[in-house]
Amino acid sequence: MTTAQQLVHAYETGLGLPLSSDVDVPDAGARLAATLPVWALAAGSVAAASAAANRVRVARGLPTRPVRLDADRVSAAFSSERLFRRGASAPSIFAELSGFFPTADGWVRTHANYPHHRDRLLRALDLPADGDAGRLTERLSTMKGAEIEDAATAAGAIAVRVRAEDEWSTSPMGRAAATGPLVASDVRADRMPTTDARLSAGGHDPRPRENDHRPRTPLGATGAGPTTDRPLTGIRVLDLTRVLAGPVATRTLALLGADVLRIDPPHLPEIDWQFADNCQGKRSTLLDLRTDLATFEALLAEADVLVTGYRPGALAAAGVGAARRPGSIEASVSAWGTSGPWGDRRGFDSIVQAASGISFIEGTPDRPGALPAQALDHGSGYLLAAAVMDALLARAHDGFGRTIGVSLARTASWLLAADGRSPEHPAALPPDPASTVTHHELVTAAPAFADYDDYRWPAPPYGSAQPFWVEAPDHYHRP
């Protein structure tokens, strides 16, 4: 059994699913080459999502498709930021104050791509608002890593001490991260008014719920029912995620036909290239939950799936949740999981790599390194998309809502424990430029799934949609 298939089986075992047949995993050559088996994580997570899509097709009476992995396509999707172009311009992946910095006793890694994270980091270190990389380097070199980590956490900034693998695995944080299934899943007590032995053709109960007087029309009645290409047609997904893991999950659901409405706060704009690279096939709206919670609750009451990337407990603290639709699927992405001493901390793929020992494994004696792609993000995203589909299938049988979640640290623990380390690996090849799609001046990676040449549409204008559901969305509308 390949390491990629081991990942698929680990996912299925964690959710109590029958184990699928072995998948033909092609040799990726030097693409995604690393000491750790990054290709296995990439191939396995995409295979898991493909298999889940087939289970949805079966439930909806549609033909299935062979799980087919294209090494170039999967590798390109996992390295999409390296292929992204707007005109002739490539994005700056990390900001000036994001990266590895030497300390008085080792190394730290910071993440300050967003302006508010940059401001917090400078304040945490008593640096002026116009502080640059030179001043940051000088300041960090005089401090110990643990001191920097504590100051950043207290200020809501993001910086971690770079740890060795054994130090992380024996720490309370590392033990918590390695506990439990790859995708956590809990059955809630709330239940749909009626149950069905399969996913309905429209994804919605056409009968009005109590106190809901708006007209409801099954999408299947309009001729926009599910197809083999779009088996999730009729499923409504609210997307409150940013950067990579969550957007990869919801982009996959959109590719498979779901109506995905992404919500961003007006006061914290998204980084432009990240939005364009990860919002294909979705609709985009701006909504401030602090001042217009009622509009969000109206959307939530009609959603099948809510996907969030907020820290555990953040939405509940804001009062979100009481209006959810009975039987809805609540999916979340976190950096460190929901338990353990770091369960409430912020983090990103690069930060988890640094804390978990990956950076030292992939580095040199003189400097920490990184995986050839943000594979924790991408792999977690495809696993979460698979789990959403399997949760919808389970709900179709028993009607109960489910809460599911992935954490980057849990995915990292799988990667660290997986078979197939290659310390003498070649340098990783860049992603294949042929595995891209072009829309006017925009170039993005093609879908990881070999059966799909492109997403349903490129990323729409940021915030261009109104905050309500529409029937059978088949394209976005410019304002």
Side-chain angles (χ1 to χ4, degrees), residues 1-25:
M1 183 188 301
T2 65
T3 307
Q5 188 64 46
Q6 291 173 7
L7 176 67
V8 176
H9 284 181
Y11 164 79
E12 293 166 341
T13 300
L15 292 183
L17 299 169
L19 299 186
S20 59
S21 302
D22 288 354
V23 176
D24 182 18
V25 180

Side-chain angles (χ1 to χ4, degrees), residues 272-419:
D272 173 73
W273 77 265
Q274 287 183 172
F275 177 83
D277 196 34
N278 294 295
C279 206
Q280 299 99 319
K282 310 176 194 179
R283 297 184 296 124
S284 165
T285 193
L286 302 180
L287 187 65
D288 193 338
L289 272 61
R290 302 172 304 175
T291 59
D292 196 358
L293 188 58
T295 297
F296 177 76
E297 289 181 336
L299 288 167
L300 186 60
E302 294 298 309
D304 295 284
V305 182
L306 171 66
V307 186
T308 66
Y310 290 89
R311 286 178 300 148
L315 282 180
V320 172
R324 68 184 175 206
R325 187 181 179 202
S328 64
I329 308 304
E330 296 185 0
S332 67
V333 177
S334 66
W336 311 105
T338 58
S339 64
W342 282 15
D344 61 348
R345 291 198 183 190
R346 297 172 174 86
F348 293 93
D349 182 306
S350 60
I351 296 297
V352 175
Q353 287 189 43
S356 65
I358 292 175
S359 292
F360 277 143
I361 291 171
E362 300 296 346
T364 67
D366 299 325
R367 184 178 179 85
L371 298 174
Q374 295 185 67
L376 306 181
D377 262 329
H378 287 274
S380 299
Y382 289 112
L383 290 172
L384 188 63
V388 166
M389 289 185 273
D390 283 317
L392 286 167
L393 288 169
R395 180 190 74 171
H397 285 282
D398 61 24
F400 287 107
R402 282 165 170 79
T403 299
I404 59 178
V406 296
S407 81
L408 305 186
R410 180 65 186 90
T411 303
S413 71
W414 179 89
L415 184 64
L416 287 162
D419 297 334

Side-chain angles (χ1 to χ4, degrees), residues 16-203:
L17 299 169
L19 299 186
S20 59
S21 302
D22 288 354
V23 176
D24 182 18
V25 180
D27 183 0
R31 301 199 189 282
L32 300 181
T35 296
L36 296 172
V38 176
W39 168 241
L41 172 59
S45 59
V46 172
S50 298
N54 270 339
R55 289 189 282 272
V56 172
R57 293 183 180 108
V58 170
R60 291 193 140 181
L62 300 167
T64 61
R65 286 179 167 167
V67 176
R68 185 164 62 92
L69 298 172
D70 181 310
D72 287 340
R73 289 280 292 274
V74 173
S75 300
F78 268 65
S79 306
S80 62
E81 72 279 0
R82 299 175 64 187
L83 292 170
F84 181 90
R85 297 290 185 275
R86 189 183 295 279
S89 299
S92 296
I93 308 303
F94 290 104
E96 180 190 19
L97 302 189
S98 296
F100 293 109
F101 293 89
T103 68
D105 61 350
W107 292 85
V108 293
R109 180 146 195 178
T110 62
H111 195 290
N113 286 4
Y114 285 100
H116 58 290
H117 288 158
R118 180 186 188 278
D119 293 342
R120 291 172 187 172
L121 180 64
L122 292 171
R123 286 199 302 271
L125 299 172
D126 295 322
L127 291 171
D130 62 350
D132 58 14
R135 299 183 74 169
L136 180 65
T137 300
E138 181 180 0
R139 174 70 171 137
L140 293 177
S141 68
T142 67
M143 301 173 68
K144 292 186 176 181
E147 179 187 3
I148 297 165
E149 200 171 70
D150 290 345
T153 299
I158 303 171
V160 296
R161 183 167 58 86
V162 182
R163 290 164 169 79
E165 179 182 5
D166 57 351
E167 181 186 0
W168 172 255
S169 65
T170 58
S171 70
M173 304 84 73
R175 289 196 298 269
T179 302
L182 269 174
V183 182
S185 179
D186 295 305
V187 181
R188 301 195 310 271
D190 57 285
R191 194 175 190 180
M192 295 177 66
T194 60
T195 61
D196 193 333
R198 60 179 178 84
L199 282 172
S200 65

